[in-house]
């Protein structure tokens, strides 16, 4: 028997806290306890082997009859989810796996609620060891396998003892968090999200130029877009100038890639400064050397005219899609050399990619890893001097294909990420970086500072199959990604048949909220559910994740399940419910497909415990009773402890519930503040809350924003005051809904003092 903390191999079985998770475990599988005080019941599993090779596959044991959810890379750049119950259902490039080792997740009561557990969740985290990266996959014999790769034929020796961390417990979210924190302590190469500084742009409404202009973006186009928002009274406070501002060009012998909604991947960076479209009176083929007439003149103008707080620009981690052109005048000191990317077999077996195929055909000009900090520092210092506040760094996973000759994919990726983060820290104030096309563990386990990550494939406005897939993929990817960074749900169009669906999801996602509207094409009524007049948003506190009872169901394909996503505010919870049925990534066709043109109506339920951490904000005396306020329905439902509220949604419909713990006051009145009830995330407006001041039945709170404020009270309030001034209010006897109106404050981020006498 080989034993770790709660994990053992005995009689050929991998036992997790007494439950068998894998059977017929191979003799060369070893279990090694994690060093230091235990954060979670868990241990590392590895292999003993005298085989050499830059890519090796090791069977571990059979996974059969247990439900699981995994996230895997269906493209080189992006992950999505898959559910199954046996080893052969585990796809190539699986980077996270959670198994229901003991059934009960439908009915268990959750440790946060102080009740007995029945379910047991087991998490598998394939990690990095030395110069190798491990991932999971299944085979036809239902065996779970470890695939180990270096990405460099010359790097073929590995130790093999710490390849996958396995952890188990009764609360899935706590198990995942503590498992990642254990790996953090073991590797010492990355930091957990909770230890990272979040950029302030997350708290403000933004606009990205990508879907508005693609690479045809110009300085004038940026100005037009901002003017268009200004006319509607919803001012963006940050802007991302996406791909299209840089100085790039093709090699004379290059193979051009043409599409109307993407870049020419054959282009390479030819100068760190902007192209003529972002120079004052710029002309193609000519360069304006005066910095005041370059990017700075546009950034200065839009910041002053539109009161912007942050302007970001896009660049690829290698400079541009095709890298940095070797030997180009003024950039010789970066020592860029041509390399031809090679993707791993696991990636090749999933969805083909035009971007990668183009780069592989044309090659990539890779900056010398020893010079890459100087490249980033010179690029970012120039941008900072032009008034740019941060960067969206794209195409990050390309580094894994360039490891040959550099000590392998892990070593090259870490070198680049360390240089990138050092430059961000040196040149920008607020850890201002968004990581994009970066869903590989080479980068995740090398990210000490980066705090925001795009959480799924793009918002595709013209692909009908993509919208429900997008919401489900982000939610499930976030279970893993949210331990490393704050997931970014991507831009969307406010004027679009699926705009409300996307907007509601972002409101519960805890993410930045930004759109990519073309000038003049906006739905300001929708935006007002997301954005306050001062440009701030009511952002939830955590990464939005599927509820516990959704972990192993498939809300995109099973024809019967709704997707529920939960998050937490300072004093309330929020649950978004989405009908995502009808489309998914097809493992046969290797692309997104609509598999049901007319998915039926789906019924489910919500309950207070769907907000897994609600007890953390409810207080010690909470009885478990809660209020659920439906955004679309506009209804208050009182939920006694463990009660359920049914919900039925048609295809592509949604609802958002604000879930509030009920407090019983000394007078016997039951009370629960809801928030700004016209906003998706109503409860995000409540920033302070205090009950029973000086022995009287009063509730005092501080609230941000304006519009209709709602609360539940079992009795009509005697008096309500806002900033010490008594105000009129409405009261519905039947539902207990109290409403009052808050005017638009004159100050940014102003907090109203609201007092209820009950």
């Amino acid at each position: 028997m080989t034993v770790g903390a709660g994990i053992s191999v005995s009689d050929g079985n991998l036992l997790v806290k007494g439950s068998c998770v894998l059977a017929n475990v191979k003799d060369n599988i070893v279990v090694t306890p994690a060093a230091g005080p235990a954060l979670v019941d868990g241990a590392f599993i590895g292999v003993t082997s005298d085989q050499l090779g830059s890519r090796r596959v090791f069977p571990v044991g059979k996974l059969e009859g247990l439900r699981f959810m995994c996230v895997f890379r269906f493209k080189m750049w992006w992950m999505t989810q898959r559910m199954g119950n046996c080893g052969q259902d585990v796809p190539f490039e699986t980077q996270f796996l959670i198994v229901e080792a003991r059934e009960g997740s439908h009915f268990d009561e959750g440790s946060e609620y102080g009740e007995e557990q029945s379910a047991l969740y087991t998490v598998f985290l394939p990690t990095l060891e030395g110069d190798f990266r491990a991932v999971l996959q299944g085979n036809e014999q239902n065996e779970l396998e470890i695939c180990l790769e270096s990405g460099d034929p010359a790097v073929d020796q590995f130790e093999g003892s710490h390849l996958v961390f396995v952890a188990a417990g009764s609360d899935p979210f706590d198990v995942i968090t503590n498992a990642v924190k254990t790996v953090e302590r073991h590797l010492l190469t990355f930091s957990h999200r909770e230890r990272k500084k979040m950029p302030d742009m997350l708290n403000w409404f933004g606009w990205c130029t990508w879907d508005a202009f693609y690479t045809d973006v110009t300085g004038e186009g940026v100005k037009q877009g901002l003017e268009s928002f200004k006319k509607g009274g919803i001012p963006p406070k940050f802007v991302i100038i996406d791909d299209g501002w840089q100085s790039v060009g093709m090699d004379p012998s290059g193979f051009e890639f043409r599409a109307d909604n993407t870049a020419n991947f054959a282009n390479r960076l030819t100068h760190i400064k902007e192209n003529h479209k972002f120079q004052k009176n710029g002309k193609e083929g000519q360069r304006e050397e005066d910095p005041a007439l370059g990017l700075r003149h546009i950034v200065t103008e839009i910041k002053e005219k539109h009161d912007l707080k942050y302007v970001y620009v896009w660049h690829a981690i290698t400079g541009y899609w095709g890298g940095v052109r070797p030997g180009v005048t003024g950039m010789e000191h970066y020592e860029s050399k041509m390399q031809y990317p090679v993707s791993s077999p696991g990636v090749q077996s999933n969805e083909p990619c035009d971007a990668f195929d183009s780069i592989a055909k044309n090659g990539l000009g890779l900056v010398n890893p020893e010079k890459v900090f100087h490249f980033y520092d010179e690029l970012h210092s120039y941008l900072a001097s032009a008034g740019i506040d941060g960067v969206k760094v794209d195409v990050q996973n390309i580094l894994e294909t360039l490891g040959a000759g550099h000590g392998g994919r892990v070593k090259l990726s870490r070198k680049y990420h360390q240089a990138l983060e050092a430059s961000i820290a040196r040149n920008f104030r607020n850890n201002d970086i968004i990581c994009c096309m970066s869903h590989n563990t080479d980068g995740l386990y090398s990210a000490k500072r980066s705090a925001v990550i795009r959480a799924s494939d793009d918002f595709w406005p013209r692909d009908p199959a993509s919208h429900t897939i997008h919401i489900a993929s982000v939610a499930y990817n976030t279970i893993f990604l949210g331990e490393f960074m704050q997931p970014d749900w991507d831009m969307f169009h406010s004027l679009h048949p699926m705009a409300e669906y996307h907007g509601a999801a972002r409101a519960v996602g805890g993410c930045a909220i930004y759109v990519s509207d073309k000038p003049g094409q906006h739905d300001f009524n929708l935006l007002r559910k997301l954005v306050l007049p001062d440009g701030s948003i009511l952002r939830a506190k955590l990464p939005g994740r599927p509820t516990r009872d959704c972990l192993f169901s498939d809300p995109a394909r099973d024809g019967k399940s709704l997707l529920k996503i939960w998050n937490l505010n300072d004093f309330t919870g929020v649950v978004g419910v989405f009908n995502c049925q009808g489309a998914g990534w097809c493992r046969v066709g290797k692309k997104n497909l609509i598999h049901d043109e007319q998915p039926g109506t789906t019924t489910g339920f919500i309950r207070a415990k769907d907000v897994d951490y609600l007890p953390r904000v409810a207080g010690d005396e909470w009885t478990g009773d809660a209020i659920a306020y439906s955004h679309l329905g506009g209804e208050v439902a009182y939920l006694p402890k463990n009660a359920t509220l049914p919900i039925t949604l048609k295809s592509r419909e949604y609802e958002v519930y604000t879930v509030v713990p009920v407090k019983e006051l000394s007078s016997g009145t039951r009370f629960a503040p809801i928030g700004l009830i016209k906003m998706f995330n109503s409860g995000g407006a409540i920033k302070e809350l205090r009950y029973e001041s000086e022995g009287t039945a009063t509730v005092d709170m501080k609230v941000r924003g304006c519009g209709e404020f709602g609360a539940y009270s079992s009795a009509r309030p005697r008096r309500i005051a806002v900033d010490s001034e008594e105000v009129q209010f409405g009261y519905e006897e039947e539902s207990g809904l109290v409403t009052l109106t808050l005017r638009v404050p004159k100050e940014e981020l102003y907090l109203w003092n609201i007092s209820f006498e009950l």
Side-chain angles (χ1 to χ4, degrees):
M1 177 186 286
T2 313
V3 181
I7 313 294
S8 63
V9 175
S10 179
D11 297 328
N13 296 319
L14 179 70
L15 301 178
V16 177
K17 300 187 76 171
S19 293
C20 178
V21 175
L22 300 180
N24 299 339
V25 173
K26 304 300 180 182
D27 292 339
N28 65 333
I29 298 301
V30 295
V31 177
T32 305
L39 298 174
V40 65
D41 289 325
F44 287 92
I45 62 173
V47 299
T48 56
S49 174
D50 56 6
Q51 299 176 4
L52 299 179
S54 61
R55 184 177 189 271
R56 306 298 306 177
V57 176
F58 299 99
V60 180
K62 288 195 174 186
L63 173 61
E64 294 179 319
L66 297 176
R67 297 194 302 167
F68 73 79
M69 187 279 294
C70 68
V71 291
F72 71 101
R73 287 200 296 163
F74 72 101
K75 288 183 180 179
M76 171 168 290
W77 326 104
W78 307 114
M79 297 190 299
T80 193
Q81 78 281 2
R82 181 174 294 171
M83 290 73 177
N85 59 15
C86 62
Q88 63 183 302
D89 292 338
V90 180
F92 293 113
E93 284 294 315
T94 290
Q95 301 187 122
F96 169 88
L97 173 69
I98 182 168
V99 178
E100 188 181 42
R102 204 161 52 230
E103 195 173 354
S105 66
H106 283 77
F107 308 107
D108 70 324
E109 302 302 339
S111 57
E112 290 287 338
Y113 293 80
E115 299 180 20
E116 185 179 352
Q117 293 296 305
S118 57
L120 178 65
Y121 302 90
T122 304
V123 171
F124 291 76
L125 294 179
T127 68
L128 309 180
E129 186 185 73
D131 294 327
F132 282 78
R133 166 185 176 263
V135 289
L136 300 172
Q137 60 192 42
N139 64 28
E140 291 298 317
Q141 288 74 48
N142 281 334
E143 291 174 321
L144 188 66
E145 298 177 331
I146 300 171
C147 178
L148 200 59
E149 289 182 279
S150 73
D152 185 342
V155 178
D156 59 3
Q157 297 185 49
F158 51 88
E159 181 188 340
S161 61
H162 292 73
L163 302 183
V164 180
F165 185 67
V166 182
S170 56
D171 185 310
F173 304 110
D174 284 351
V175 172
I176 295 164
T177 294
N178 289 322
V180 172
K181 287 181 176 179
T182 302
V183 174
E184 173 192 19
R185 193 169 63 185
H186 169 71
L187 290 177
L188 301 176
T189 56
F190 74 100
S191 298
H192 189 273
R193 170 183 51 81
E194 292 172 359
R195 296 177 52 211
K196 293 179 175 179
K197 179 181 180 180
M198 291 294 151
D200 183 55
M201 52 74 66
L202 290 172
N203 301 309
W204 303 90
F205 174 57
W207 176 57
C208 177
T209 63
W210 180 242
D211 282 315
F213 300 109
Y214 299 116
T215 56
D216 293 329
V217 63
T218 64
E220 287 304 312
V222 174
K223 296 176 193 176
Q224 290 169 15
L226 290 169
E227 282 293 334
S228 185
F229 284 104
K230 184 178 180 180
K231 289 176 183 175
I234 304 288
K237 291 296 180 179
F238 77 87
V239 168
I240 301 172
I241 301 174
D242 213 294
D243 191 356
W245 68 272
Q246 292 171 287
S247 297
V248 300
M250 274 180 59
D251 296 347
S253 59
F255 298 93
E256 184 177 13
F257 183 88
R258 280 192 175 276
D260 64 351
N261 63 345
T262 191
N264 176 7
F265 306 122
N267 278 335
R268 311 192 200 286
L269 196 68
T270 57
H271 203 285
I272 64 168
K273 294 184 179 181
E274 70 288 326
N275 61 42
H276 71 282
K277 296 184 295 178
F278 287 83
Q279 294 173 347
K280 193 167 187 177
N281 304 318
K283 296 178 181 176
E284 191 167 4
Q286 298 181 17
R287 173 159 302 284
E288 176 55 68
E289 296 300 332
D290 183 354
L293 301 179
L295 193 58
R296 187 197 304 172
H297 91 276
I298 292 172
V299 174
T300 300
E301 180 180 337
I302 61 176
K303 280 188 171 183
E304 290 177 352
K305 189 170 184 180
H306 298 282
D307 198 24
L308 289 171
K309 294 181 178 293
Y310 307 104
V311 178
Y312 281 31
V313 296
W314 178 100
H315 70 78
I317 199 164
T318 54
Y320 200 69
W321 294 91
V324 174
R325 181 180 290 173
V328 69
T329 303
M331 300 176 81
E332 304 94 336
H333 56 298
Y334 303 140
E335 298 178 8
S336 172
K337 291 184 179 178
M338 290 301 299
Q339 283 200 223
Y340 290 84
V342 178
S343 65
S344 72
V347 170
Q348 290 171 13
S349 70
N350 286 326
E351 182 169 328
C353 176
D354 290 336
F356 177 78
D357 291 345
S358 175
I359 297 168
K361 187 175 185 178
N362 286 286
L364 184 146
L366 185 70
V367 170
N368 183 340
E370 301 303 320
K371 304 290 185 180
V372 73
F373 171 75
H374 301 293
F375 168 63
Y376 289 144
D377 186 47
E378 290 176 18
L379 171 61
H380 295 157
S381 63
Y382 172 71
L383 293 172
S385 73
I388 296 297
D389 302 285
V391 285
K392 172 183 171 182
V393 182
D394 214 343
V395 206
Q396 294 194 12
N397 284 5
I398 197 66
L399 295 173
E400 72 177 57
T401 70
L402 301 164
H406 297 286
R409 55 187 289 171
V410 172
K411 187 168 284 183
L412 179 66
S413 295
R414 186 161 296 152
K415 193 103 179 175
Y416 263 67
H417 281 283
Q418 287 173 343
L420 177 63
E421 292 190 333
S423 178
I424 297 294
R426 181 172 183 171
N427 291 291
F428 302 122
R429 293 175 298 163
N430 293 305
N431 199 21
D432 289 290
I433 176 173
I434 301 170
C435 298
C436 195
M437 299 177 76
S438 54
H439 288 190
N440 69 8
T441 46
D442 313 53
L444 291 172
Y445 287 128
S446 300
K448 286 229 171 203
R449 293 173 176 267
S450 302
V452 180
I453 184 168
R454 267 278 308 283
S456 83
D457 199 351
D458 293 14
F459 166 76
W460 297 105
R462 290 175 283 180
D463 179 4
S466 70
H467 301 292
T468 54
I469 293 172
H470 184 98
I471 303 310
S473 291
V474 175
Y476 284 98
N477 287 344
T478 292
I479 294 172
F480 179 51
L481 294 176
E483 300 300 329
F484 299 86
M485 306 186 206
Q486 189 69 33
D488 176 335
W489 287 59
D490 198 14
M491 64 198 97
F492 69 104
H493 283 174
S494 73
L495 189 63
H496 188 276
M498 295 293 286
E500 286 227 359
Y501 194 87
H502 279 282
R506 283 151 182 78
V508 299
C511 56
I513 293 175
Y514 58 107
V515 295
S516 195
D517 296 352
K518 294 179 185 294
Q521 297 184 22
H522 318 286
D523 183 342
F524 290 111
N525 289 328
L526 168 60
L527 292 177
R528 289 186 188 96
K529 298 182 178 188
L530 294 161
V531 188
L532 294 169
D534 63 3
S536 66
I537 64 171
L538 303 180
R539 189 169 74 88
K541 293 163 65 76
L542 301 173
R545 290 163 283 185
T547 58
R548 191 182 297 213
D549 58 349
C550 286
L551 286 177
F552 305 108
S553 60
D554 189 344
R557 299 176 182 85
D558 69 9
K560 62 183 181 181
S561 301
L562 295 173
L563 171 62
K564 297 184 291 184
I565 303 170
W566 69 276
N567 212 321
L568 204 62
N569 297 307
D570 291 315
F571 301 99
T572 65
V574 61
V575 178
V577 188
F578 302 86
N579 187 334
C580 299
Q581 296 291 342
W585 189 79
C586 177
R587 70 177 80 182
V588 178
K590 312 238 180 254
K591 62 181 180 179
N592 288 338
L593 287 176
I594 294 175
H595 54 260
D596 186 348
E597 292 285 353
Q598 295 182 314
T601 301
T602 304
T603 297
F605 61 84
I606 71 146
R607 53 190 180 175
K609 66 181 61 178
D610 284 338
V611 183
D612 216 77
Y613 294 166
L614 192 61
R616 300 186 183 185
V617 300
D620 295 337
E621 298 177 2
W622 184 42
T623 64
D625 289 7
I627 288 299
Y629 179 81
S630 55
H631 173 78
L632 292 177
E635 296 176 346
V636 174
Y638 191 99
L639 298 178
K641 184 178 182 178
N642 294 333
T644 60
L645 179 66
I647 177 172
T648 298
L649 296 175
K650 295 178 182 177
S651 172
R652 300 185 168 202
E653 287 187 339
Y654 76 93
E655 179 61 280
V656 178
Y657 292 91
T658 299
V659 182
V660 193
V662 172
K663 173 81 169 180
E664 185 166 339
L665 305 176
S666 57
S667 63
T669 301
R670 296 185 301 275
F671 187 86
I674 298 168
L676 295 176
I677 59 178
K678 299 300 183 185
M679 306 286 285
F680 281 127
N681 183 23
S682 306
I686 303 168
K687 309 312 292 182
E688 294 183 25
L689 178 63
R690 188 173 72 253
Y691 288 102
E692 306 263 25
S693 62
E694 299 175 3
T696 61
T698 62
V699 182
D700 297 308
M701 64 190 80
K702 290 190 176 181
V703 174
R704 187 159 65 82
C706 58
E708 195 170 2
F709 182 88
Y712 164 81
S713 178
S714 63
R716 182 183 180 87
R718 294 164 49 203
R719 180 178 183 272
I720 302 176
V722 176
D723 284 359
S724 302
E725 181 180 324
E726 186 170 352
V727 296
Q728 293 183 329
F729 61 90
Y731 182 68
E732 295 179 2
E733 294 279 353
E734 187 174 344
S735 68
L737 179 63
V738 183
T739 54
L740 59 103
T741 300
L742 298 174
R743 65 180 182 271
V744 178
K746 295 180 181 179
E747 297 177 28
E748 186 177 88
L749 301 178
Y750 182 78
L751 294 177
W752 298 103
N753 290 287
I754 305 179
S755 180
F756 288 76
E757 292 183 16
L758 299 159

